[in-house]
Amino acid sequence: MEERKPKILLAEDDTNLGMVLKNYLELNDYDVELCRDGILALAAFRREKFDICLLDIMMPNMDGFKLAEEIRDVDPDIPLFFLSAKTMKEDVIHGYKLGADDYIAKPFDSELLLLKIKAILKRNQELNSKEEEQHEFRIGRYAFNARLRTLTRDGDSHTLSPKENELLRMLCEHKNDLLPRELALKKIWGSDTYFNGRSMDVYIAKLRKYLKEDPDIEIVNIHGNGFRLVVKD
């Protein structure tokens, strides 16, 4: 049986760039759907299953930022890159705040883009192939099931988001030891950029809040190096 090619949603209103990029990615064994405005791209996203989205920002009918918001409402975790000539700091920050995995300024190197796509799809494949890994952990008074994404204490269960779940899993796998920042960022976010680091700090704060009912649990920040999930016996 022929292996399924990874499917890319490419939203780009520049006809020449869109076709060149589509052809280049298809030559490298990707299935690409090219849409020339945000509304058509959103309709395609709702109609089909994609592995990654590449979004221009300045498009007619619906811009890339609004399109990203709509996509995130449907699937909070699909990899998403902005490809844009808008390179002002506030635009880049806004893109990352919308959940972009990368923000690539035009003009860009197609080979570098290809490498970034391969890296983030490999990351997602690794995150999704957890069947043989340990998925049940005891954290003080909490029971954590990484397969079900549940954190339970005294019968009260909370469902974690996918990134919360993977970060807590990695902390548990390194319990009472150092979880390097770079390792967590590259495995969960795909790269150890400044913006991804800020995002991870937000997720660490959320996990601390979820675990605060047990005074024998602490997530310690080892400045410049990473985090330790400390659980007292």
Side-chain angles (χ1 to χ4, degrees):
M1 182 180 294
E2 186 176 353
E3 185 178 351
R4 173 185 174 272
K5 295 180 180 180
K7 192 168 180 64
I8 297 175
L9 175 62
L10 173 59
E12 171 59 67
D13 70 329
D14 183 316
T15 301
N16 290 334
L17 175 60
M19 286 306 302
V20 167
L21 190 53
K22 173 180 167 68
N23 291 337
Y24 176 75
L25 292 170
E26 288 178 341
L27 285 171
N28 283 278
D29 293 324
Y30 291 93
D31 184 5
V32 181
E33 176 146 353
L34 173 61
C35 300
R36 293 195 169 88
D37 72 50
I39 290 178
L40 291 175
L42 181 59
F45 185 79
R46 287 174 170 164
R47 184 176 64 246
E48 301 180 49
K49 179 170 177 57
F50 292 91
D51 297 289
I52 187 170
C53 299
L54 309 180
L55 310 181
D56 183 25
I57 293 175
M58 294 181 289
M59 295 186 293
N61 300 320
M62 179 187 292
D63 68 31
F65 287 148
K66 178 60 177 175
L67 175 58
E69 290 179 6
E70 296 287 344
I71 285 173
R72 282 283 177 251
D73 283 343
V74 177
D75 186 343
D77 293 298
I78 186 168
L80 188 157
F81 288 2
F82 284 115
L83 311 177
S84 180
K86 291 171 70 71
T87 56
M88 293 182 65
K89 181 179 178 180
E90 53 265 35
D91 292 318
V92 177
I93 290 173
H94 185 48
Y96 280 111
K97 283 183 175 179
L98 289 174
D101 293 274
D102 210 334
Y103 192 110
I104 300 173
K106 295 179 180 177
F108 53 82
D109 185 315
S110 296
E111 185 177 358
L112 180 59
L113 173 64
L114 182 66
L115 290 172
K116 289 188 173 191
I117 290 171
K118 287 180 177 179
I120 202 160
L121 291 181
K122 181 181 178 183
R123 178 205 75 181
N124 268 27
Q125 185 179 28
E126 289 173 351
L127 290 178
N128 290 331
S129 59
K130 298 289 186 179
E131 291 304 311
E132 296 182 4
E133 294 187 17
Q134 181 182 355
H135 63 273
E136 292 184 353
F137 301 87
R138 192 76 203 177
I139 315 170
R141 293 159 56 188
Y142 293 86
F144 170 43
N145 188 313
R147 181 174 293 165
L148 300 178
R149 303 206 327 255
T150 56
L151 185 64
T152 304
R153 181 183 65 86
D154 299 334
D156 185 20
S157 184
H158 174 77
T159 301
L160 302 174
S161 74
K163 281 192 173 72
E164 291 169 351
N165 188 70
E166 291 306 321
L167 185 54
L168 184 55
R169 181 205 288 269
M170 291 190 74
L171 286 165
C172 288
E173 290 171 344
H174 293 75
K175 188 172 75 171
N176 295 322
D177 199 355
L178 175 69
L179 171 60
R181 282 182 72 90
E182 183 179 5
L183 176 64
L185 284 169
K186 287 186 175 179
K187 188 168 184 181
I188 301 173
W189 276 265
S191 63
D192 59 344
T193 65
Y194 168 80
F195 294 102
N196 286 343
R198 292 290 299 274
S199 176
M200 184 169 72
D201 290 339
V202 171
Y203 279 87
I204 288 288
K206 290 181 179 180
L207 293 179
R208 286 183 176 130
K209 182 179 178 181
Y210 300 152
L211 297 168
K212 68 180 182 180
E213 298 302 324
D214 189 338
D216 291 331
I217 300 173
E218 186 178 8
I219 301 177
V220 180
N221 182 15
I222 309 300
H223 184 69
N225 291 297
F227 301 94
R228 287 180 66 215
L229 173 64
V230 178
V231 182
K232 298 176 184 177
D233 294 331

